[in-house]
Amino acid sequence: MTQPALGLLARAIVMAIALGFISLFDFGTFAGWVAFVMLGLIPMQVVAVVLWGANPSFASGLRQPVKGVVLVLVTIVATAVISPLVFMTVGEGMAPPGPIPSHYVIIVVPTTFWLAIMMGGWPFNRISSNPVVVGLAALIAAYVVTYAIFRVFFNYDFLQGAPVYLQSAPRGMFNGVSALVFYVTALAVMFLVLCFDLWPLTSFPAIMKQPVLGIVWTVIALAGAALAMSVGVVRPGADPMAFLTQVTVPFIFGSIIVLNMLQNSLFARMKQPLKGVMNTIAAAAIGLILAHLYVSLAPIVIGQLASGPPGYEREIWLANALLSVTFPFLIYYAVFFGYWPLVREQQPAAAARRQTAM
């Protein structure tokens, strides 16, 4: 089986598993503990995929499915260590986790993507040549940098008096929900650039070196997010949560399908920028279709949910169903397990490298 048929079949299988998993919980449990823990898996997953190439030294000689299991366990162990620390500090130990600690663990994800993909592991790869050390350093930095951003730019005064308000809540520059939507939208712009295979930046060799590439890419992501928020939220006076779940989240999810599950194969014969335009259209269309599919299945999976303020139940459920659960499940299967058993591994990766060298 080859792409894109492989990715489409794998996507359908994983989505069915993800929805089955989600159906095990009521809304309160899913939006609280389940989403909080699942989001905690993603930063370590990003590090393992991007900076370790899903092939760290301690797993490179293993065959599937053992290799995939080991890599999954690594993300679980990391989450078992980090999530309780976040819960006790940012969340003040208040159970279940409310919106404030949940927002923090959400924005750790874009920060990790920024350090791993946009910055390419810089400056940690200048300090050590060991990918495991580089990855762990980037993971720790992601939480530290995110905490600084959280304190400076996020403000939760609007929650004062509510049961979920925390005395340690940041009182930064912007409304916490708007800041969250902006930050996640910047991640969507990062995926937009990936749809174009970094074109036109690839035309300038001086830019394609770190940290210059990371800086330029960061400026593009922030400027793109600012433009998207201005056009989609500020000018029309729209609800930021509606924009998040109708535009940002579907595009990110669609990009994961196009770039990861289908391995950028849909328009592989096209040249940039046409390939990027088609990838973008496909990511937006696929993301919207799947988002609508999830919404239509929500009454069966979790029951009737109210949409809009003050609870935003449907919006919170959709965002978490797509990005907190289905997204990591997709990456687990496509990258950690290498589509096994749909694709059979011929030999351990380490042996393959030795044969190539010979």
Side-chain angles (χ1 to χ4, degrees):
M1 185 177 293
T2 59
Q3 293 289 7
L6 172 62
L8 292 173
L9 176 57
R11 181 212 64 188
I13 293 171
V14 174
M15 286 177 58
I17 294 172
L19 287 168
F21 173 78
I22 294 167
S23 70
L24 298 175
F25 310 98
D26 58 54
F27 174 76
T29 304
F30 177 73
W33 282 115
V34 175
F36 184 79
V37 172
M38 292 299 298
L39 283 163
L41 295 169
I42 300 176
M44 185 71 251
Q45 188 181 59
V46 172
V47 165
V49 170
V50 179
L51 297 179
W52 294 354
N55 195 40
S57 56
F58 58 82
S60 60
L62 302 176
R63 296 188 63 131
Q64 297 293 2
V66 177
K67 181 177 182 180
V69 171
V70 169
L71 293 175
V72 170
L73 289 175
V74 168
T75 65
I76 292 174
V77 170
T79 304
V81 173
I82 296 173
S83 292
L85 295 176
V86 174
F87 173 67
M88 295 304 299
T89 54
V90 179
E92 294 185 4
M94 182 182 294
I100 296 172
S102 295
H103 285 188
Y104 173 76
V105 294
I106 288 171
I107 64 172
V108 170
V109 175
T111 305
T112 311
F113 271 108
W114 172 64
L115 289 171
I117 293 183
M118 296 168 70
M119 299 301 298
W122 186 92
F124 311 106
N125 52 15
R126 300 295 177 87
I127 299 171
S128 174
S129 59
N130 186 328
V132 174
V133 174
V134 172
L136 293 177
L139 179 67
I140 295 170
Y143 281 90
V144 174
V145 171
T146 300
Y147 187 76
I149 292 171
F150 193 57
R151 302 301 306 183
V152 172
F153 295 105
F154 285 65
N155 187 300
Y156 292 94
D157 287 348
F158 66 93
L159 287 178
Q160 286 189 12
V164 295
Y165 183 73
L166 303 175
Q167 292 303 313
S168 62
R171 297 181 176 180
M173 299 170 60
F174 304 103
N175 172 278
V177 174
S178 296
L180 172 75
V181 175
F182 174 87
Y183 209 68
V184 177
T185 302
L187 176 63
V189 178
M190 184 207 78
F191 279 107
L192 174 64
V193 174
L194 289 175
C195 285
F196 283 83
D197 299 322
L198 275 68
W199 180 91
L201 303 181
T202 50
S203 302
F204 304 93
I207 292 179
M208 296 300 295
K209 299 176 181 179
Q210 295 295 1
V212 178
L213 174 60
I215 294 171
V216 172
W217 201 346
T218 301
V219 171
I220 292 172
L222 295 177
L227 177 62
M229 290 288 288
S230 176
V231 173
V233 179
V234 178
R235 292 182 182 177
D239 188 331
M241 284 296 292
F243 181 81
L244 178 71
T245 54
Q246 295 172 16
V247 179
T248 301
V249 168
F251 182 77
I252 292 174
F253 192 72
S255 297
I256 296 298
I257 300 297
V258 170
L259 300 177
N260 295 93
M261 296 305 294
L262 304 181
Q263 297 177 318
N264 206 2
S265 64
L266 286 180
F267 311 103
R269 296 183 180 181
M270 295 183 178
K271 295 182 179 181
Q272 296 294 359
L274 180 59
K275 178 185 176 184
V277 172
M278 296 306 295
N279 273 342
T280 301
I281 294 173
I286 291 172
L288 286 171
I289 291 171
L290 294 179
H292 282 294
L293 174 63
Y294 270 53
V295 169
S296 68
L297 293 175
I300 301 172
V301 174
I302 204 164
Q304 294 294 334
L305 299 173
S307 179
Y312 293 105
E313 290 182 353
R314 184 186 298 174
E315 290 79 6
I316 291 172
W317 180 85
L318 176 63
N320 282 300
L322 290 174
L323 297 187
S324 301
V325 176
T326 310
F327 161 58
F329 278 20
L330 289 170
I331 300 304
Y332 277 149
Y333 185 61
V335 185
F336 283 14
F337 286 92
Y339 298 99
W340 181 91
L342 296 179
V343 173
R344 289 284 186 174
E345 186 181 40
Q346 298 300 315
Q347 55 191 337
R353 289 200 302 272
R354 287 196 294 271
Q355 286 193 2
T356 302
M358 294 170 63

